[in-house]
Amino acid sequence: IHSNDFWHFPYAKILKNLNPQIKIIAHVRGEVKRKKILAYKLKEADKIVVVSYAIKSQLEKLNISSDKILVHYGYLNIDFLDGRKQSKKHDKFLVGTITRLFSIKGLEYLIRAGKEIKKHIPDGKIVIIGSGDKSYINYLQKLVKELH
């Protein structure tokens, strides 16, 4: 059973209690809160898929075995674009992300990198789209104004 987000894990455990041969894979994408991880007994998952080494480290600090944890970055397969008409002009550089805006994402590093990109590619752009922690969003906006 793939528990797409760890808060669904208790439901998967109910099914495993009915059939102990069932294996459970829990998926952790966001910020790890000790209280929730312990309450949901995530340690009992057969495998845990996380989207970053930062999340893996947090789980390991909660005594979850690193052997159980697999880091797998989400990605978009753009192979379907092959054969589409491509623009011949490639003088623009764009880095973008659509994500939940929380400090664990480290978006301040992307913003700081933007200053360096601008030195080499003046028309380069960084686009960050999302919602989340208001204080973190304010911090990111302030950083953009300071650096750019």
Side-chain angles (χ1 to χ4, degrees), residues 48-93:
I48 302 170
V49 178
V50 298
V51 296
S52 72
Y53 283 98
I55 294 172
K56 179 181 181 182
S57 175
Q58 288 178 335
L59 292 176
E60 289 170 338
K61 288 176 184 171
L62 295 174
N63 296 318
I64 295 177
S65 169
S66 64
D67 294 341
K68 283 189 173 190
I69 305 169
L70 170 68
V71 177
H72 184 270
Y73 293 98
Y75 68 94
L76 173 64
N77 182 345
I78 58 171
D79 291 343
F80 71 92
L81 292 175
D82 287 349
R84 286 184 148 201
K85 188 174 181 178
Q86 299 280 329
S87 169
K88 295 193 189 287
K89 192 174 181 181
H90 297 290
D91 60 351
K92 300 287 182 193
F93 183 80

Side-chain angles (χ1 to χ4, degrees), residues 93-108:
F93 183 80
L94 173 69
V95 175
T97 185
I98 301 172
T99 188
R100 294 182 317 140
L101 303 175
F102 291 94
S103 62
I104 194 168
K105 302 286 184 166
L107 294 167
E108 61 272 19

Side-chain angles (χ1 to χ4, degrees), residues 131-144:
S131 62
D133 178 356
K134 295 288 185 200
S135 63
Y136 185 60
I137 293 169
N138 290 339
Y139 165 68
L140 295 176
Q141 291 172 333
K142 183 179 173 192
L143 187 60
V144 168

Side-chain angles (χ1 to χ4, degrees), residues 30-44:
E31 203 168 0
V32 175
K33 298 196 182 206
R34 176 182 171 75
K35 188 176 178 181
K36 285 186 178 181
I37 296 299
L38 296 176
Y40 289 112
K41 298 183 180 180
L42 199 60
K43 189 185 278 194
E44 296 176 29

